[in-house]
PDB file of all heavy atoms in Angstrom:
ATOM      1  N   ARG T   1       0.958  -1.131  -0.019  1.00 96.00           N
ATOM      2  CA  ARG T   1       0.032   0.032   0.030  1.00 96.00           C
ATOM      3  C   ARG T   1       0.939   1.291  -0.029  1.00 96.00           C
ATOM      4  O   ARG T   1       1.698   1.472   0.937  1.00 96.00           O
ATOM      5  CB  ARG T   1      -0.885  -0.010   1.161  1.00 96.00           C
ATOM      6  CG  ARG T   1      -1.927  -1.133   1.091  1.00 96.00           C
ATOM      7  CD  ARG T   1      -2.929  -1.059   2.221  1.00 96.00           C
ATOM      8  NE  ARG T   1      -3.823  -2.362   2.273  1.00 96.00           N
ATOM      9  CZ  ARG T   1      -4.370  -2.879   3.337  1.00 96.00           C
ATOM     10  NH1 ARG T   1      -4.144  -2.316   4.501  1.00 96.00           N
ATOM     11  NH2 ARG T   1      -5.140  -3.938   3.183  1.00 96.00           N
ATOM     12  N   VAL T   2       0.735   2.010  -0.978  1.00 96.00           N
ATOM     13  CA  VAL T   2       1.527   3.193  -1.089  1.00 96.00           C
ATOM     14  C   VAL T   2       1.482   4.118   0.065  1.00 96.00           C
ATOM     15  O   VAL T   2       2.407   4.748   0.496  1.00 96.00           O
ATOM     16  CB  VAL T   2       1.160   3.968  -2.435  1.00 96.00           C
ATOM     17  CG1 VAL T   2       2.000   5.252  -2.610  1.00 96.00           C
ATOM     18  CG2 VAL T   2       1.405   2.975  -3.665  1.00 96.00           C
ATOM     19  N   ARG T   3       0.242   4.266   0.542  1.00 95.00           N
ATOM     20  CA  ARG T   3      -0.030   5.160   1.691  1.00 95.00           C
ATOM     21  C   ARG T   3       0.758   4.748   2.872  1.00 95.00           C
ATOM     22  O   ARG T   3       1.349   5.496   3.590  1.00 95.00           O
ATOM     23  CB  ARG T   3      -1.486   5.287   1.919  1.00 95.00           C
ATOM     24  CG  ARG T   3      -1.740   6.382   3.077  1.00 95.00           C
ATOM     25  CD  ARG T   3      -3.290   6.558   3.120  1.00 95.00           C
ATOM     26  NE  ARG T   3      -3.943   6.964   1.941  1.00 95.00           N
ATOM     27  CZ  ARG T   3      -4.039   8.337   1.738  1.00 95.00           C
ATOM     28  NH1 ARG T   3      -3.578   9.214   2.518  1.00 95.00           N
ATOM     29  NH2 ARG T   3      -4.573   8.874   0.556  1.00 95.00           N
ATOM     30  N   ASP T   4       0.879   3.369   3.154  1.00 95.00           N
ATOM     31  CA  ASP T   4       1.610   2.926   4.321  1.00 95.00           C
ATOM     32  C   ASP T   4       3.140   3.066   4.160  1.00 95.00           C
ATOM     33  O   ASP T   4       3.760   3.248   5.025  1.00 95.00           O
ATOM     34  CB  ASP T   4       1.265   1.476   4.500  1.00 95.00           C
ATOM     35  CG  ASP T   4      -0.203   1.274   4.912  1.00 95.00           C
ATOM     36  OD1 ASP T   4      -0.992   2.305   5.223  1.00 95.00           O
ATOM     37  OD2 ASP T   4      -0.715   0.157   4.976  1.00 95.00           O
ATOM     38  N   LEU T   5       3.546   2.919   2.817  1.00 97.00           N
ATOM     39  CA  LEU T   5       4.997   2.863   2.663  1.00 97.00           C
ATOM     40  C   LEU T   5       5.570   4.257   2.444  1.00 97.00           C
ATOM     41  O   LEU T   5       6.769   4.513   2.520  1.00 97.00           O
ATOM     42  CB  LEU T   5       5.260   2.021   1.446  1.00 97.00           C
ATOM     43  CG  LEU T   5       4.855   0.454   1.591  1.00 97.00           C
ATOM     44  CD1 LEU T   5       4.916  -0.093   0.234  1.00 97.00           C
ATOM     45  CD2 LEU T   5       5.677  -0.170   2.551  1.00 97.00           C
ATOM     46  N   ALA T   6       4.653   5.260   2.233  1.00 95.00           N
ATOM     47  CA  ALA T   6       5.223   6.596   1.924  1.00 95.00           C
ATOM     48  C   ALA T   6       6.028   7.224   3.019  1.00 95.00           C
ATOM     49  O   ALA T   6       6.968   8.011   2.758  1.00 95.00           O
ATOM     50  CB  ALA T   6       4.048   7.510   1.587  1.00 95.00           C
ATOM     51  N   GLU T   7       5.783   6.919   4.244  1.00 94.00           N
ATOM     52  CA  GLU T   7       6.534   7.401   5.320  1.00 94.00           C
ATOM     53  C   GLU T   7       7.899   6.761   5.382  1.00 94.00           C
ATOM     54  O   GLU T   7       8.909   7.387   5.962  1.00 94.00           O
ATOM     55  CB  GLU T   7       5.954   7.013   6.716  1.00 94.00           C
ATOM     56  CG  GLU T   7       4.582   7.673   7.037  1.00 94.00           C
ATOM     57  CD  GLU T   7       3.914   7.373   8.209  1.00 94.00           C
ATOM     58  OE1 GLU T   7       4.504   6.650   9.033  1.00 94.00           O
ATOM     59  OE2 GLU T   7       2.822   7.731   8.450  1.00 94.00           O
ATOM     60  N   THR T   8       8.257   5.653   4.681  1.00 97.00           N
ATOM     61  CA  THR T   8       9.502   4.985   4.763  1.00 97.00           C
ATOM     62  C   THR T   8      10.360   5.456   3.634  1.00 97.00           C
ATOM     63  O   THR T   8      11.661   5.358   3.671  1.00 97.00           O
ATOM     64  CB  THR T   8       9.341   3.442   4.644  1.00 97.00           C
ATOM     65  OG1 THR T   8       8.534   3.061   5.894  1.00 97.00           O
ATOM     66  CG2 THR T   8      10.699   2.682   4.774  1.00 97.00           C
ATOM     67  N   ILE T   9       9.743   5.792   2.509  1.00 97.00           N
ATOM     68  CA  ILE T   9      10.504   5.996   1.110  1.00 97.00           C
ATOM     69  C   ILE T   9      10.748   7.568   1.000  1.00 97.00           C
ATOM     70  O   ILE T   9       9.903   8.317   1.497  1.00 97.00           O
ATOM     71  CB  ILE T   9       9.912   5.320   0.022  1.00 97.00           C
ATOM     72  CG1 ILE T   9       8.498   5.880  -0.209  1.00 97.00           C
ATOM     73  CG2 ILE T   9       9.862   3.834   0.217  1.00 97.00           C
ATOM     74  CD1 ILE T   9       7.788   5.315  -1.370  1.00 97.00           C
ATOM     75  N   ASP T  10      11.639   7.905   0.149  1.00 98.00           N
ATOM     76  CA  ASP T  10      11.888   9.410  -0.228  1.00 98.00           C
ATOM     77  C   ASP T  10      11.334   9.659  -1.544  1.00 98.00           C
ATOM     78  O   ASP T  10      11.290  10.906  -1.947  1.00 98.00           O
ATOM     79  CB  ASP T  10      13.395   9.505  -0.216  1.00 98.00           C
ATOM     80  CG  ASP T  10      13.936   9.247   1.145  1.00 98.00           C
ATOM     81  OD1 ASP T  10      13.486   9.904   2.114  1.00 98.00           O
ATOM     82  OD2 ASP T  10      14.937   8.550   1.248  1.00 98.00           O
ATOM     83  N   PHE T  11      11.026   8.716  -2.441  1.00 98.00           N
ATOM     84  CA  PHE T  11      10.396   8.965  -3.719  1.00 98.00           C
ATOM     85  C   PHE T  11       9.629   7.819  -4.206  1.00 98.00           C
ATOM     86  O   PHE T  11       9.740   6.703  -3.712  1.00 98.00           O
ATOM     87  CB  PHE T  11      11.473   9.319  -4.908  1.00 98.00           C
ATOM     88  CG  PHE T  11      12.440   8.178  -5.187  1.00 98.00           C
ATOM     89  CD1 PHE T  11      12.261   7.418  -6.239  1.00 98.00           C
ATOM     90  CD2 PHE T  11      13.658   8.076  -4.418  1.00 98.00           C
ATOM     91  CE1 PHE T  11      13.251   6.355  -6.462  1.00 98.00           C
ATOM     92  CE2 PHE T  11      14.532   7.207  -4.719  1.00 98.00           C
ATOM     93  CZ  PHE T  11      14.320   6.325  -5.743  1.00 98.00           C
ATOM     94  N   VAL T  12       8.577   8.005  -5.029  1.00 98.00           N
ATOM     95  CA  VAL T  12       7.708   6.955  -5.497  1.00 98.00           C
ATOM     96  C   VAL T  12       8.251   6.589  -6.932  1.00 98.00           C
ATOM     97  O   VAL T  12       8.396   7.460  -7.769  1.00 98.00           O
ATOM     98  CB  VAL T  12       6.268   7.432  -5.473  1.00 98.00           C
ATOM     99  CG1 VAL T  12       5.379   6.251  -5.972  1.00 98.00           C
ATOM    100  CG2 VAL T  12       5.905   7.891  -4.137  1.00 98.00           C
ATOM    101  N   GLY T  13       8.266   5.221  -7.220  1.00 98.00           N
ATOM    102  CA  GLY T  13       8.745   4.784  -8.525  1.00 98.00           C
ATOM    103  C   GLY T  13       7.880   3.805  -9.214  1.00 98.00           C
ATOM    104  O   GLY T  13       7.967   2.715  -9.147  1.00 98.00           O
ATOM    105  N   PRO T  14       6.853   4.496  -9.945  1.00 98.00           N
ATOM    106  CA  PRO T  14       5.986   3.604 -10.660  1.00 98.00           C
ATOM    107  C   PRO T  14       6.516   2.809 -11.806  1.00 98.00           C
ATOM    108  O   PRO T  14       7.516   3.295 -12.451  1.00 98.00           O
ATOM    109  CB  PRO T  14       4.774   4.570 -11.238  1.00 98.00           C
ATOM    110  CG  PRO T  14       5.477   5.898 -11.259  1.00 98.00           C
ATOM    111  CD  PRO T  14       6.480   5.799 -10.148  1.00 98.00           C
ATOM    112  N   HIS T  15       6.130   1.634 -11.999  1.00 98.00           N
ATOM    113  CA  HIS T  15       6.546   0.818 -13.256  1.00 98.00           C
ATOM    114  C   HIS T  15       5.281   0.684 -14.054  1.00 98.00           C
ATOM    115  O   HIS T  15       4.198   0.097 -13.564  1.00 98.00           O
ATOM    116  CB  HIS T  15       7.029  -0.589 -12.813  1.00 98.00           C
ATOM    117  CG  HIS T  15       8.220  -0.564 -12.005  1.00 98.00           C
ATOM    118  ND1 HIS T  15       8.932  -1.707 -11.587  1.00 98.00           N
ATOM    119  CD2 HIS T  15       8.944   0.511 -11.369  1.00 98.00           C
ATOM    120  CE1 HIS T  15       9.964  -1.333 -10.793  1.00 98.00           C
ATOM    121  NE2 HIS T  15      10.000  -0.172 -10.553  1.00 98.00           N
ATOM    122  N   VAL T  16       5.293   1.077 -15.205  1.00 97.00           N
ATOM    123  CA  VAL T  16       4.057   1.293 -16.060  1.00 97.00           C
ATOM    124  C   VAL T  16       4.191   0.398 -17.381  1.00 97.00           C
ATOM    125  O   VAL T  16       4.957   0.860 -18.133  1.00 97.00           O
ATOM    126  CB  VAL T  16       3.653   2.683 -16.367  1.00 97.00           C
ATOM    127  CG1 VAL T  16       2.333   2.686 -17.011  1.00 97.00           C
ATOM    128  CG2 VAL T  16       3.594   3.553 -15.107  1.00 97.00           C
ATOM    129  N   TYR T  17       3.522  -0.612 -17.531  1.00 96.00           N
ATOM    130  CA  TYR T  17       3.456  -1.483 -18.534  1.00 96.00           C
ATOM    131  C   TYR T  17       1.965  -1.936 -19.032  1.00 96.00           C
ATOM    132  O   TYR T  17       1.879  -2.806 -19.703  1.00 96.00           O
ATOM    133  CB  TYR T  17       4.172  -2.721 -18.447  1.00 96.00           C
ATOM    134  CG  TYR T  17       5.773  -2.426 -18.093  1.00 96.00           C
ATOM    135  CD1 TYR T  17       6.251  -2.736 -16.903  1.00 96.00           C
ATOM    136  CD2 TYR T  17       6.533  -2.028 -19.178  1.00 96.00           C
ATOM    137  CE1 TYR T  17       7.620  -2.534 -16.575  1.00 96.00           C
ATOM    138  CE2 TYR T  17       7.956  -1.870 -18.921  1.00 96.00           C
ATOM    139  CZ  TYR T  17       8.429  -2.161 -17.621  1.00 96.00           C
ATOM    140  OH  TYR T  17       9.833  -1.900 -17.337  1.00 96.00           O
ATOM    141  N   ARG T  18       1.043  -1.090 -18.558  1.00 91.00           N
ATOM    142  CA  ARG T  18      -0.372  -1.444 -18.878  1.00 91.00           C
ATOM    143  C   ARG T  18      -0.564  -1.526 -20.327  1.00 91.00           C
ATOM    144  O   ARG T  18      -0.008  -0.827 -21.062  1.00 91.00           O
ATOM    145  CB  ARG T  18      -1.301  -0.510 -18.090  1.00 91.00           C
ATOM    146  CG  ARG T  18      -1.518  -0.771 -16.675  1.00 91.00           C
ATOM    147  CD  ARG T  18      -2.622   0.315 -16.238  1.00 91.00           C
ATOM    148  NE  ARG T  18      -3.810   0.199 -17.036  1.00 91.00           N
ATOM    149  CZ  ARG T  18      -4.795  -0.705 -16.748  1.00 91.00           C
ATOM    150  NH1 ARG T  18      -4.805  -1.551 -15.776  1.00 91.00           N
ATOM    151  NH2 ARG T  18      -5.849  -0.615 -17.514  1.00 91.00           N
ATOM    152  N   MET T  19      -1.505  -2.387 -20.648  1.00 93.00           N
ATOM    153  CA  MET T  19      -1.972  -2.483 -22.141  1.00 93.00           C
ATOM    154  C   MET T  19      -3.534  -1.905 -22.044  1.00 93.00           C
ATOM    155  O   MET T  19      -4.297  -2.657 -21.284  1.00 93.00           O
ATOM    156  CB  MET T  19      -1.895  -3.832 -22.699  1.00 93.00           C
ATOM    157  CG  MET T  19      -0.422  -4.110 -22.811  1.00 93.00           C
ATOM    158  SD  MET T  19      -0.138  -5.693 -23.738  1.00 93.00           S
ATOM    159  CE  MET T  19       1.418  -5.636 -24.164  1.00 93.00           C
ATOM    160  N   GLU T  20      -3.877  -0.879 -22.745  1.00 94.00           N
ATOM    161  CA  GLU T  20      -5.138  -0.317 -22.636  1.00 94.00           C
ATOM    162  C   GLU T  20      -6.081  -0.661 -23.802  1.00 94.00           C
ATOM    163  O   GLU T  20      -5.599  -1.434 -24.623  1.00 94.00           O
ATOM    164  CB  GLU T  20      -5.017   1.241 -22.537  1.00 94.00           C
ATOM    165  CG  GLU T  20      -4.113   1.728 -21.425  1.00 94.00           C
ATOM    166  CD  GLU T  20      -4.757   1.633 -20.152  1.00 94.00           C
ATOM    167  OE1 GLU T  20      -5.992   1.158 -20.023  1.00 94.00           O
ATOM    168  OE2 GLU T  20      -4.154   1.890 -18.989  1.00 94.00           O
ATOM    169  N   LYS T  21      -7.218  -0.132 -23.864  1.00 93.00           N
ATOM    170  CA  LYS T  21      -8.245  -0.466 -24.725  1.00 93.00           C
ATOM    171  C   LYS T  21      -8.260   0.419 -26.105  1.00 93.00           C
ATOM    172  O   LYS T  21      -8.796   0.123 -26.997  1.00 93.00           O
ATOM    173  CB  LYS T  21      -9.609  -0.431 -24.143  1.00 93.00           C
ATOM    174  CG  LYS T  21      -9.891  -1.551 -23.092  1.00 93.00           C
ATOM    175  CD  LYS T  21     -11.364  -1.425 -22.686  1.00 93.00           C
ATOM    176  CE  LYS T  21     -11.740  -2.547 -21.766  1.00 93.00           C
ATOM    177  NZ  LYS T  21     -11.009  -2.578 -20.431  1.00 93.00           N
ATOM    178  N   ASP T  22      -7.534   1.693 -25.874  1.00 94.00           N
ATOM    179  CA  ASP T  22      -7.352   2.360 -27.250  1.00 94.00           C
ATOM    180  C   ASP T  22      -6.111   3.348 -27.125  1.00 94.00           C
ATOM    181  O   ASP T  22      -5.423   3.366 -25.995  1.00 94.00           O
ATOM    182  CB  ASP T  22      -8.579   3.194 -27.351  1.00 94.00           C
ATOM    183  CG  ASP T  22      -8.840   4.323 -26.244  1.00 94.00           C
ATOM    184  OD1 ASP T  22      -7.989   4.868 -25.742  1.00 94.00           O
ATOM    185  OD2 ASP T  22     -10.022   4.637 -26.026  1.00 94.00           O
ATOM    186  N   GLN T  23      -5.813   3.981 -28.097  1.00 96.00           N
ATOM    187  CA  GLN T  23      -4.679   4.750 -28.299  1.00 96.00           C
ATOM    188  C   GLN T  23      -4.592   5.802 -27.236  1.00 96.00           C
ATOM    189  O   GLN T  23      -3.498   5.964 -26.616  1.00 96.00           O
ATOM    190  CB  GLN T  23      -4.560   5.322 -29.659  1.00 96.00           C
ATOM    191  CG  GLN T  23      -3.248   5.988 -29.859  1.00 96.00           C
ATOM    192  CD  GLN T  23      -2.113   5.045 -30.144  1.00 96.00           C
ATOM    193  OE1 GLN T  23      -1.904   4.411 -31.046  1.00 96.00           O
ATOM    194  NE2 GLN T  23      -1.319   5.135 -29.038  1.00 96.00           N
ATOM    195  N   VAL T  24      -5.630   6.563 -26.966  1.00 97.00           N
ATOM    196  CA  VAL T  24      -5.500   7.749 -26.089  1.00 97.00           C
ATOM    197  C   VAL T  24      -5.170   7.258 -24.632  1.00 97.00           C
ATOM    198  O   VAL T  24      -4.462   7.773 -23.917  1.00 97.00           O
ATOM    199  CB  VAL T  24      -6.760   8.591 -26.224  1.00 97.00           C
ATOM    200  CG1 VAL T  24      -6.620   9.785 -25.283  1.00 97.00           C
ATOM    201  CG2 VAL T  24      -6.974   9.082 -27.556  1.00 97.00           C
ATOM    202  N   SER T  25      -5.953   6.186 -24.232  1.00 97.00           N
ATOM    203  CA  SER T  25      -5.791   5.576 -22.864  1.00 97.00           C
ATOM    204  C   SER T  25      -4.283   5.037 -22.838  1.00 97.00           C
ATOM    205  O   SER T  25      -3.771   5.215 -21.683  1.00 97.00           O
ATOM    206  CB  SER T  25      -6.763   4.412 -22.700  1.00 97.00           C
ATOM    207  OG  SER T  25      -8.072   4.809 -22.838  1.00 97.00           O
ATOM    208  N   GLN T  26      -3.800   4.538 -23.798  1.00 97.00           N
ATOM    209  CA  GLN T  26      -2.320   3.972 -23.808  1.00 97.00           C
ATOM    210  C   GLN T  26      -1.409   5.195 -23.652  1.00 97.00           C
ATOM    211  O   GLN T  26      -0.432   5.075 -22.831  1.00 97.00           O
ATOM    212  CB  GLN T  26      -2.112   3.209 -25.067  1.00 97.00           C
ATOM    213  CG  GLN T  26      -0.862   2.384 -24.885  1.00 97.00           C
ATOM    214  CD  GLN T  26      -0.979   1.223 -24.000  1.00 97.00           C
ATOM    215  OE1 GLN T  26      -1.845   0.402 -24.186  1.00 97.00           O
ATOM    216  NE2 GLN T  26      -0.136   1.079 -23.074  1.00 97.00           N
ATOM    217  N   LEU T  27      -1.570   6.242 -24.307  1.00 98.00           N
ATOM    218  CA  LEU T  27      -0.632   7.434 -24.361  1.00 98.00           C
ATOM    219  C   LEU T  27      -0.774   8.103 -22.987  1.00 98.00           C
ATOM    220  O   LEU T  27       0.330   8.683 -22.492  1.00 98.00           O
ATOM    221  CB  LEU T  27      -0.810   8.231 -25.481  1.00 98.00           C
ATOM    222  CG  LEU T  27      -0.614   7.639 -26.870  1.00 98.00           C
ATOM    223  CD1 LEU T  27      -0.902   8.611 -27.997  1.00 98.00           C
ATOM    224  CD2 LEU T  27       0.773   7.114 -27.001  1.00 98.00           C
ATOM    225  N   LEU T  28      -1.871   8.118 -22.330  1.00 98.00           N
ATOM    226  CA  LEU T  28      -2.035   8.860 -21.091  1.00 98.00           C
ATOM    227  C   LEU T  28      -1.841   7.795 -19.903  1.00 98.00           C
ATOM    228  O   LEU T  28      -1.956   8.340 -18.603  1.00 98.00           O
ATOM    229  CB  LEU T  28      -3.383   9.461 -21.033  1.00 98.00           C
ATOM    230  CG  LEU T  28      -3.495  10.837 -21.923  1.00 98.00           C
ATOM    231  CD1 LEU T  28      -5.052  11.172 -21.902  1.00 98.00           C
ATOM    232  CD2 LEU T  28      -2.807  11.727 -21.376  1.00 98.00           C
ATOM    233  N   GLY T  29      -1.631   6.512 -20.035  1.00 97.00           N
ATOM    234  CA  GLY T  29      -1.652   5.644 -18.980  1.00 97.00           C
ATOM    235  C   GLY T  29      -0.815   5.992 -17.888  1.00 97.00           C
ATOM    236  O   GLY T  29      -1.025   5.870 -16.751  1.00 97.00           O
TER     237      GLY T  29
END
């Protein structure tokens, strides 16, 4: 849970590999 871990870390590092249903969703994912 990001909220629980935020007190321990200094930055947040998302890994983003989602596959979306259309081009706009993919580009804004």
Side-chain angles (χ1 to χ4, degrees):
R1 294 181 186 154
V2 177
R3 188 173 294 275
D4 293 350
L5 298 170
E7 295 181 3
T8 302
I9 61 178
D10 299 307
F11 61 96
V12 185
H15 299 188
V16 184
Y17 297 108
R18 280 185 53 87
M19 292 187 172
E20 302 289 353
K21 291 185 173 71
D22 67 33
Q23 185 68 77
V24 182
S25 301
Q26 193 70 54
L27 297 177
L28 284 172

